[in-house]
Amino acid sequence: MKEFQYTITDPVGIHARPAGLLKAEVKKFASSVQVFKGDASCEAAKTLKLMGLGIVKGDTITVRIEGEDEEACAEAIEAFFKANF
Amino acid sequence: MKVATGKSILNGIAIGKIRIYKVPERVINDSLIEDTDAELERFEAARVRVQDQQMVLYEKALVQAGEDAAGIFMFHYSLLDEDEDLYEAVNEIITSQKRSAEYAVKTAFDNQADVFSAMSDPYFQARSTDVIDVENDVLDVLMGLDTMSMQGTEPAILVADDFAPSETVKLDKSLLLGMITREGSSNSHTAILARSMNLPTLIQCKDIEDDWDGKTAILDGYNHCVYIDPTDDLMESLSKKQQEDIRKEALLQDLKGKSSTTIDGKTIRVYANIGGPSDVGAVQVNDAEGVGLFRSEFVYLNSKTDPTEEEQFNAYRKVLETLAPKQVVIRTCDIGADKTIDYMELDHEENPALGFRAVRICLTRKDFFKRQLRALLRASAYGNLAIMFPMIISVREVVECKAILEECRQELKNEGVQMGEIEVGIMVETPAAVLCADELAEEVDFFSIGTNDLTQYTCAIDRQNAKLEPFSDTHHPAVLRAISMTIEAGHRHNCWVGICGELGADLSLTETFLRMGIDELSVNPTSILPLRKAIRGIDLRAEG
């Protein structure tokens, strides 16, 4: 299992367009990617659920990656968050 | 006379008849059903259809309003993905509650919209309208409602509660004099459309009444109000004001009617890229000297079944007739595995950009190709047509395309059909075409360089992949050299050469292209006058 924390800097938070792109990114890997905000969590590939978490600028989230390619996946997903959120 | 007030988006006056744009009420049957499998299938068909529609809207919005505005349709598309909760929810309601697909869609989407509405952040709250927008699209497909006909056929000031993003894209802009909405914010899609089209628009007009329909009105953007059945005096004074605005606009746009000539006297042609007959107004307003790229995909994408020769002929004829004697370059079908259309039955591909698309489909499905070519040849009698084949990589393909074109011409001749003189050209958008440009130029009258795909294929950079942005360079020397090589090869064989990709509108490259010897630049209608201005400021005698 791999885990990283990230604080959102995008002014509108995890919004519609990049959330869709994130889904595509996650699907490139076999690992499961889970996003935690406080007590709530959901799969990163479920765009609607993810947006339902209402993650906005300044929120710190935890991302947990689990699976056979978790090493590469974690690296790619972290880079994606830095670039898009 | 009645006066209603609202919030004006921009200064300007619209005069014309009111048309109430009202979505027919969608009556949902909530009774129990027997055949749940049939309902599941109906939902699945509608879901796939609406996803296709969203892709079409995305492409259309990309052209009309750019990537940022178009992105919302990608979001709409993903709402309907099989791995999203909405998909499961709809299927679950059909199966366990034994209800119709309509009922299930309405229930599941309304619930999801409520989730967004209840969120604290205004951005997320506003997404509920996206969910409802997609819900309505799915319901319209399920119920066979035609929302396109609601706009009517006469130019009018459209009045609605609000316009959904998909509606603003679908509207026929040439029939739009102004817009009045009951709701909407200055950041709504209605407002964005109004600004991009310079269209007098009133939002938050609470006093809209249904009986305005068909009445004459003056929308006064300066005073944030609309007059219904205005008095003659008011009509006279505001008509004058409107004329004055038009004169001022004309002064600002004094470049219209002037040629695109450099200080030292080199003239090139500045053409427009368009996506369908509805864009013809923009070509005229912006004074394009012709159309350098008419994407014929719209005839395929806007149709539920394979469009007939007659349907295509009417669409092409309309454009050619309206713009004659200006040249109109129509690109033959450029559908690919990434733009799937039900009736084309294309297989899913791992690598669609390098796949079965464009002329590759046309040369495989000859009857399909011939329908388009016959329609084009018949339309050629009504204007100044040029035909352009996309995605060419070899001389053999061009020879085959021309042979089929000739076959169509002979058939029509035998049928006694009138045809006009046409030029035949190709898109140069693959490195293969660049490297074979000399041989290709011997076969055609012109080249049009598609810089978007040429960049993608030359640099091996997927256009759709945002992660590649750090590696992409729109001014990559390889692409510029490819353009220069293409121009030189074309000129060696008396071919004129143009650019119809996005680079054509890049003003930082205009002088470079002129020095390379480009003959034509084809750009989005709104880029035409700025480009002409840039050309008129360039002196090629000066050191480059």
Side-chain angles (χ1 to χ4, degrees), chain B residues 3 34 127 165 180 185 233 235 405 432:
Chain B
V3 189
E34 302 262 313
R127 299 289 67 74
I180 303 174
S185 67
D233 287 353
M235 182 58 104
L405 183 66

Side-chain angles (χ1 to χ4, degrees), chain B residues 13-14 19 41 66 83 116 126 153 170 181 183 202 280 321 324 335 369 392 421 424 427 431 452-453 463 469:
Chain B
I13 288 168
R19 168 126 186 142
E41 271 173 38
D83 58 1
F116 280 128
T153 52
K170 285 179 204 156
T181 64
E183 316 291 334
L202 209 57
V280 167
E321 230 169 17
I335 303 291
F369 194 26
I392 294 292
E421 291 279 312
V424 174
M427 293 275 292
N452 305 355
D453 268 337
R463 277 157 73 173
E469 246 163 58

Side-chain angles (χ1 to χ4, degrees), chain A residues 12-17 20-21 23 25 27-28 45-49 51-56 76 80 84, chain B residues 67-68 71-72 75 78-79 81 83-86 88 112 115-116 119 121 123-124 127 131 465-467:
Chain A
V12 257
I14 296 197
H15 56 288
R17 201 158 52 98
L21 293 173
K23 174 190 205 139
E25 185 67 24
K27 285 187 161 177
K28 289 179 189 161
K46 301 237 174 189
T47 306
L48 278 170
K49 275 229 174 77
M51 288 181 63
L53 293 183
I55 298 167
V56 294
F80 185 91
N84 291 285
Chain B
E67 176 72 46
D68 276 349
I72 201 68
F75 174 58
S78 67
L79 288 181
D81 274 349
D83 58 1
E84 290 296 337
D85 293 347
L86 271 173
E88 252 169 62
Q112 179 64 50
V115 170
F116 280 128
M119 291 173 74
D121 186 272
Y123 171 80
F124 290 103
R127 299 289 67 74
V131 175
N465 189 339
K467 225 165 72 176

Side-chain angles (χ1 to χ4, degrees), chain B residues 387-405:
Chain B
I387 295 180
M388 173 161 78
F389 302 116
M391 270 304 279
I392 294 292
I393 58 165
S394 72
V395 173
R396 183 184 63 85
E397 291 165 344
V398 181
V399 170
E400 274 185 50
C401 286
K402 282 170 63 186
I404 298 173
L405 183 66

Side-chain angles (χ1 to χ4, degrees), chain B residues 167-234:
Chain B
E167 284 169 336
T168 59
V169 177
K170 285 179 204 156
L171 290 176
D172 181 347
K173 315 297 184 296
S174 66
L175 295 178
L176 211 48
L177 300 175
M179 295 184 288
I180 303 174
T181 64
R182 194 187 299 275
E183 316 291 334
S185 67
S186 41
N187 288 315
S188 64
H189 289 273
T190 309
I192 292 166
L193 176 69
R195 278 190 217 101
S196 74
M197 291 193 55
N198 206 16
L199 206 62
T201 294
L202 209 57
I203 58 170
Q204 296 166 18
C205 179
K206 300 294 174 198
D207 305 323
I208 290 173
E209 284 168 35
D210 280 353
D211 70 357
W212 288 5
D213 199 32
K215 292 189 172 157
T216 300
I218 305 175
L219 197 172
D220 182 353
Y222 293 98
N223 293 308
H224 303 270
C225 65
V226 55
Y227 305 97
I228 308 296
D229 290 331
T231 61
D232 292 347
D233 287 353
L234 198 60

Side-chain angles (χ1 to χ4, degrees), chain B residues 261-280:
Chain B
T261 306
T262 61
I263 294 169
D264 56 309
K266 176 169 169 76
T267 301
I268 67 160
R269 287 169 286 154
V270 176
Y271 279 10
N273 295 340
I274 64 172
S278 61
D279 297 335
V280 167

